[in-house]
Amino acid sequence: MSSHHIVRDDQEPALIIANGASCSFELLGQLLEWSPIVVVLDNAIERVLQLDIKVDVLLGDFDDNFNPEIYKEKQFPIEIVHTPDQNKTDLEKAFEYLIEKGHHAVNVIWATGKRADHTISNITNIVRFRNTLKIVILDDHSKIFLLPYKFEKWYPKNTPISLIPIGKVEGITTQNLFYPLHNEQLSIGYRTGSSNHVAQDGIVKIEHTDGDLLLMECFD
């Protein structure tokens, strides 16, 4: 694994490495190549250093006798950001840090798998940042992001796509999905748009009038 990012352009998405299940070296390498800044959450730092990745920011609440000072020399120059607020997850605090620094987009890895409660929180909490940060959560099996109210993208036929509402989402209309929706409602726990797929090669259109709707592109 390269110890440095090849391209540093502030227009490209930042990268956050959380502390869930690891992803493939291929995916990690692709994201590192284009990331202007790499933020690592505290409990993941030792796993990240084993991959010879250059870390720009180490962020977290540093509890359980965690000593961030030992990484200053190992990863010089590294910024140490202490975020002790226990009312927010470290991932949420990392989003807020990037917004404060003027970033507009971020990719997140190692945010799924391992503990189910962490996975659910990490995925659903991105809706809070709809108007301030474009967030994409990736692992080896899926790409997850919050949809704008009007969305269009070209996909190959049979691409698996799931539409997951956070709470209740109304007025959903789709084009070029095998199971279409026509001004319909999805509600978490009652009806979701899981395990749909693209009907034909071409543009998929998804619109909704109210609520927070996640799209999951699946690769299994």
Side-chain angles (χ1 to χ4, degrees):
M1 182 63 62
S2 171
S3 60
H4 297 281
H5 325 314
I6 299 173
V7 175
R8 285 182 175 271
D9 182 346
D10 288 340
Q11 300 304 310
E12 298 293 341
L15 179 64
I16 296 175
I17 304 179
N19 194 37
S22 301
C23 64
S24 67
F25 288 158
E26 180 181 4
L27 174 58
L28 181 55
Q30 291 172 357
L31 296 174
L32 283 171
E33 183 174 354
W34 298 101
S35 297
I37 182 173
V38 174
V39 179
V40 176
L41 304 189
D42 54 9
N43 288 325
I45 186 64
E46 287 296 333
R47 297 166 60 199
V48 170
L49 293 185
Q50 290 174 7
L51 299 175
D52 194 27
I53 295 171
K54 177 66 183 74
V55 178
D56 299 300
V57 179
L58 174 61
L59 180 148
D61 51 24
F62 306 150
D63 55 5
D64 297 327
N65 298 315
F66 183 92
N67 180 13
E69 298 299 316
I70 65 175
Y71 301 103
K72 284 187 175 180
E73 183 176 350
K74 293 180 181 180
Q75 287 285 292
F76 181 85
I78 187 173
E79 182 179 0
I80 305 295
V81 180
H82 184 208
T83 54
D85 186 354
Q86 295 298 314
N87 293 316
K88 299 176 183 177
T89 68
D90 283 346
L91 184 56
E92 290 176 277
K93 291 179 279 190
F95 292 149
E96 292 175 347
Y97 168 86
L98 290 173
I99 293 167
E100 182 181 342
K101 295 297 183 180
H103 292 271
H104 301 287
V106 61
N107 293 316
V108 184
I109 55 173
W110 297 13
T112 59
K114 285 194 171 182
R115 284 180 51 173
D117 55 343
H118 290 173
T119 296
I120 293 171
S121 295
N122 290 341
I123 292 173
T124 57
N125 283 347
I126 68 176
V127 303
R128 291 183 43 228
F129 302 92
R130 170 185 287 278
N131 298 320
T132 51
L133 190 65
K134 182 179 179 181
I135 301 167
V136 179
I137 296 178
L138 302 108
D139 58 32
D140 291 332
H141 307 289
S142 57
K143 177 180 179 181
I144 306 165
F145 54 95
L146 182 64
L147 286 177
Y149 293 107
K150 293 185 178 181
F151 172 81
E152 295 185 10
K153 183 177 176 180
W154 191 95
Y155 288 98
K157 180 180 179 180
N158 292 326
T159 300
I161 285 179
S162 290
L163 298 176
I164 306 298
I166 303 302
K168 181 187 296 184
V169 180
E170 298 179 338
I172 306 171
T173 298
T174 68
Q175 294 182 33
N176 197 23
L177 292 183
F178 189 80
Y179 302 105
L181 296 171
H182 303 287
N183 194 29
E184 296 181 49
Q185 174 183 294
L186 296 178
S187 182
I188 193 71
Y190 294 93
R191 184 192 181 199
T192 65
S194 182
S195 298
N196 209 330
H197 61 270
V198 178
Q200 300 293 335
D201 287 352
I203 296 293
V204 168
K205 296 183 179 181
I206 303 169
E207 298 184 6
H208 65 287
T209 59
D210 188 61
D212 295 309
L213 185 63
L214 297 179
L215 186 144
M216 298 186 179
E217 300 173 359
C218 304
F219 313 126
D220 57 287

